[in-house]
Amino acid sequence: MKLTLAHDHKLATGVLGLAFTPDASRAFATCMDNMLYSVDLANGETHAFNDAHGSYASGCVLLPDGRTVISGGYDGLLLWHDVESRECWRRVQAHQFWNWQLALSPDGTRLATTTGQYAPAGWKYEPAPEREPSVKIFDTATGDLLSSFSHTPPVMSCAFTPDGQYLAAANILGEVRVWNVTSEDGKPVAQFTSPDFTSWGTTKSHHYTGGIYGLAFSPDSAVLLCCGMGPMGDPMAGNGKMTWQRWNWREGKRIDEIKEGQHGGGLMESVAWHPSGSHFLMAGRQAQGNWNIALFSAADGNLVHSVDSKKRVTHARFTADGNAVILSGAQGQGTRKKDGWEPWGRVQVYKVEA
């Protein structure tokens, strides 16, 4: 398999969240200007929704009916938007702090959201206990809170199993917990920790950094794929090892990880399985090396094809037929010109070719 760029669409500011229609004709992007946008994936025509978050809009999901987009933001709000009118018709205060990531159950009935502020609690700069449950699940039809689960904040990522029965969430320390979504006692059914995704730096400042930024279950639900950035001595440099690992999550057993010599330095923010289960993709931002988007073989974990998009990738997802990958992100941090800001958000479409 290889990736070939088909479309590269510009948005006003960096894109933090991505969703798209099943036919891959339209995408929805949440951005650093607090806004939600609709993007025509063929011609790049962009329309802003009418209501904004009070801070960065961090994520979005499209419900299966195709009529509703739910967005999350650093204001802790969840907003329900009508796709055609672009009006917001429901607001739910999900968190007291930022929403880090959203995940929609496969049947579209449940929305998971993660939060948490990193505040040092001791001389080892370990994160302080959560001030509210770091993982919550909401009913997409009513907006009601269905479940709350405890974790060590901040919780950076979450993902449902393909059958929707389990939810995984991971944090800055590389700790992964998995719950049955109908659990009444709130206890995880599985949990494990990988130290290969976090750093405690002693250069410039003392604090933990990194974490697991992306999670994805294999199509058969047996394997959980994690991605992020490996340990580094200087946490301010952002050049730790580009890292993925695959885990038998029920047993808490690591199956494999990115091979030596196949990675560079930088933060990987997104992972996705090809619908066939034959390959998976990892993408993010590059500090060192020659790629920031790469395909790997599910059979042996080897690198199959890679691309240097020269952009930060925040989300990467295969289309339902597996013939394309849609990505969101940013190029640089914006350049101000006399007549305004240069657009620096990106939504891209890559063809997946044999």
Side-chain angles (χ1 to χ4, degrees):
M1 283 187 176
K2 69 174 184 177
L3 302 172
T4 304
L5 181 64
H7 298 288
D8 186 2
H9 303 308
K10 297 180 180 181
L11 280 80
T13 59
V15 182
L16 298 177
L18 175 71
F20 51 87
T21 57
D23 65 0
S25 64
R26 187 192 303 189
F28 302 93
T30 46
C31 296
M32 296 177 73
D33 61 0
N34 311 350
M35 299 292 293
L36 169 67
Y37 294 91
S38 171
V39 182
D40 187 304
L41 288 174
N43 60 29
E45 183 177 346
T46 302
H47 297 281
F49 280 67
N50 297 326
D51 290 84
H53 284 270
S55 185
Y56 291 172
S58 54
C60 62
V61 297
L62 175 67
L63 298 190
D65 63 12
R67 299 194 297 266
T68 305
V69 176
I70 305 175
S71 63
Y74 279 18
D75 54 5
L77 284 171
L78 296 175
L79 304 183
W80 274 250
H81 309 263
D82 182 88
V83 167
E84 296 308 318
S85 69
R86 301 199 296 276
E87 296 288 345
C88 174
W89 55 274
R90 176 186 287 146
R91 293 171 176 264
V92 172
Q93 189 69 52
H95 303 297
Q96 301 168 23
F97 193 64
W98 300 346
N99 159 237
W100 285 106
Q101 196 170 101
L102 301 177
L104 185 67
S105 63
D107 65 3
T109 62
R110 291 181 171 91
L111 177 68
T113 174
T114 67
T115 189
Q117 181 178 11
Y118 176 21
W123 69 273
K124 291 185 177 180
Y125 290 78
E126 64 275 16
E130 58 190 6
R131 298 178 182 178
E132 60 172 315
S134 298
V135 183
K136 297 180 180 180
I137 298 178
F138 291 86
D139 187 307
T140 59
T142 65
D144 294 338
L145 178 65
L146 297 177
S147 304
S148 296
F149 302 120
S150 293
H151 208 324
T152 302
V155 179
M156 321 295 294
S157 56
C158 58
F160 283 97
T161 51
D163 62 8
Q165 185 176 355
Y166 298 98
L167 175 73
N171 68 3
I172 194 173
L173 298 178
E175 298 170 340
V176 180
R177 299 180 186 178
V178 184
W179 299 269
N180 187 312
V181 298
T182 60
S183 170
E184 295 183 359
D185 61 13
K187 295 181 179 179
V189 297
Q191 60 187 90
F192 58 87
T193 301
S194 173
D196 300 320
F197 290 100
T198 193
S199 297
W200 188 74
T202 58
T203 304
K204 298 176 185 166
S205 64
H206 293 182
H207 65 281
Y208 283 97
T209 190
I212 296 175
Y213 275 66
L215 291 170
F217 284 96
S218 58
D220 64 2
S221 298
V223 174
L224 182 59
L225 181 62
C226 312
C227 81
M229 180 168 61
M232 53 187 170
D234 180 0
M236 305 303 288
N239 61 356
K241 175 183 175 181
M242 296 173 171
T243 301
W244 62 256
Q245 291 181 343
R246 288 191 287 179
W247 288 74
N248 177 329
W249 59 271
R250 293 180 184 275
E251 299 180 5
K253 180 180 178 181
R254 191 181 72 190
I255 299 170
D256 65 355
E257 63 181 344
I258 194 168
K259 306 294 190 292
E260 286 298 326
Q262 295 188 354
H263 62 82
L267 174 60
M268 295 289 98
E269 299 188 60
S270 187
V271 285
W273 286 87
H274 189 272
S276 69
S278 64
H279 294 77
F280 58 88
L281 179 144
M282 181 169 71
R285 50 185 135 170
Q286 173 188 295
Q288 298 169 350
N290 55 20
W291 63 264
N292 71 321
I293 307 168
L295 283 168
F296 298 86
S297 168
D300 56 19
N302 275 311
L303 179 67
V304 173
H305 181 69
S306 63
V307 175
D308 180 6
S309 73
K310 303 188 185 305
K311 300 170 180 65
R312 171 191 176 187
V313 177
T314 54
H315 283 279
R317 298 287 182 268
F318 287 96
T319 54
D321 59 13
N323 292 331
V325 175
I326 301 176
L327 304 98
S328 64
Q331 184 166 22
Q333 296 181 343
T335 301
R336 186 160 191 161
K337 297 187 176 182
K338 291 182 179 180
D339 57 349
W341 288 86
E342 179 75 17
W344 55 288
R346 295 292 187 272
V347 171
Q348 296 181 309
V349 180
Y350 278 83
K351 292 182 179 179
V352 179
E353 300 174 328

